[in-house]
Amino acid sequence: MDLRKILLAAVLAAATSAWAQDKFIVVSSTTSTENSGLFRHILPVFKQKTGVDVRVVAQGTGQALDMGKRGDCDVVFVHNRNAELKMVQEGWFVNRHDVMYNDFVIVGPKSDPAGVKGGKDVVAALKKIAGAQAPFASRGDKSGTHSAELRLWKAGGIAPKGGWYRETGSGMGATLNTASGMNAYALTDRGTWLSFKNRGDLTIVVEGDQRLFNQYGIMLVNPARHAHVKKAEGQAFIDWVVSPAGQAAIAAYKIGGEQLFFPNAKR
């Protein structure tokens, strides 16, 4: 009898362990939240509180949104507010929330061949870069950063093209590696820049323009469109991210004493 009880306990323990391993959600997010190290900082805090594991697929915002539209994830955490709101209106996602912000900066070689260093007008700086045909590395991947870059070129009446303008078709870290290797200018979010190690001769040359503001939002994939979406667990993650505890975890993430993201969720 005791042996049977032991065997039964072992079976129940194995079943419980298997169930616990299945308690996870998939979050489609931007390369900046992953490359900056933010998720490595906040996700263990969430898991400790809830027991839910978060598996992140990091890619450009355009791809991350498409992944959510296909129902291949439970939550989307990105930074292209206009596109996010449009897709909520179309019924792909539920209840977008502001989470945090940081800003974009233009980095470039210390020699600054386009003469833009120290300027506060990002559009004027891009005009100078284009006029000088100084090397510029663009993500070219329909990400939130790429979309922001294209809006800024458009504001200056510029359609960048030619040998000086290199589209990498890759994430922020890879694009910065290209810029470092080419001694090129690039637009990057500050979080990725602060965590980027292979800077070479690059430095921040333009910052502080209000047009460089970078807002992040989070949304649940609509369970009415994709019944397999883990609504309860996904909503639990969203609720935690915008809660005082989640916002405090985001604010606490720093590199070299410098805060990377600034929480601004509205409850």
Side-chain angles (χ1 to χ4, degrees):
M1 184 67 70
D2 290 343
L3 181 58
R4 290 180 182 178
K5 288 181 178 180
I6 292 171
L7 290 173
L8 178 59
V11 170
L12 289 174
T16 300
S17 177
W19 175 84
Q21 289 174 3
D22 287 337
K23 197 176 180 184
F24 71 90
I25 59 170
V26 176
V27 173
S28 181
S29 191
T30 74
T31 59
S32 59
T33 47
E34 178 73 8
N35 290 346
S36 66
L38 176 69
F39 281 139
R40 291 191 295 275
H41 173 74
I42 68 170
L43 295 187
V45 182
F46 173 72
K47 185 173 183 179
Q48 184 177 28
K49 178 178 175 59
T50 64
V52 177
D53 189 30
V54 178
R55 302 177 184 179
V56 177
V57 179
Q59 54 197 327
T61 284
Q63 294 170 308
L65 290 168
D66 285 343
M67 185 174 177
K69 286 176 67 175
R70 295 192 305 269
D72 292 336
C73 60
D74 304 294
V75 172
V76 173
F77 190 163
V78 290
H79 62 145
N80 189 342
R81 190 173 187 273
N82 290 340
E84 295 160 39
L85 291 173
K86 181 174 183 290
M87 292 185 185
V88 168
Q89 189 174 30
E90 293 170 350
W92 296 107
F93 303 103
V94 179
N95 296 334
R96 179 198 174 277
H97 300 271
D98 283 339
V99 176
M100 62 191 187
Y101 68 91
N102 64 2
D103 63 342
F104 294 111
V105 297
I106 292 182
V107 298
K110 293 174 184 175
S111 59
D112 190 26
V116 299
K117 189 172 182 179
K120 298 291 185 183
D121 186 330
V122 64
V123 173
L126 290 175
K127 286 181 177 179
K128 286 184 177 181
I129 291 169
Q133 294 196 354
F136 189 99
S138 169
R139 287 183 59 165
D141 63 350
K142 298 183 180 179
S143 62
T145 303
H146 182 223
S147 296
E149 179 209 316
L150 293 179
R151 287 194 297 270
L152 293 170
W153 287 118
K154 185 176 180 180
I158 301 166
K161 58 183 178 180
W164 62 276
Y165 186 73
R166 174 78 61 85
E167 291 185 296
T168 67
S170 56
M172 196 68 257
T175 300
L176 284 173
N177 277 323
T178 297
S180 178
M182 295 173 56
N183 259 355
Y185 294 95
L187 179 76
T188 176
D189 67 283
R190 191 183 294 269
T192 303
W193 174 250
L194 288 173
S195 60
F196 183 65
K197 306 300 183 185
N198 184 34
R199 296 183 179 182
D201 198 44
L202 299 184
T203 188
I204 293 177
V205 293
V206 179
E207 61 184 330
D209 191 319
Q210 63 180 2
R211 290 170 290 191
L212 293 171
F213 179 80
N214 182 28
Q215 178 70 53
Y216 289 79
I218 194 167
M219 306 175 290
L220 181 72
V221 175
N222 192 347
R225 286 184 180 262
H226 301 288
H228 61 273
V229 166
K230 296 177 181 175
K231 179 180 178 181
E233 292 88 348
Q235 191 61 53
F237 179 62
I238 291 170
D239 290 344
W240 180 80
V241 164
V242 301
S243 74
Q247 295 279 279
I250 291 169
Y253 182 54
K254 299 178 181 181
I255 292 180
E258 189 165 355
Q259 187 171 334
L260 275 70
F261 299 95
F262 297 85
N264 65 345
K266 300 175 183 67
R267 293 291 288 174

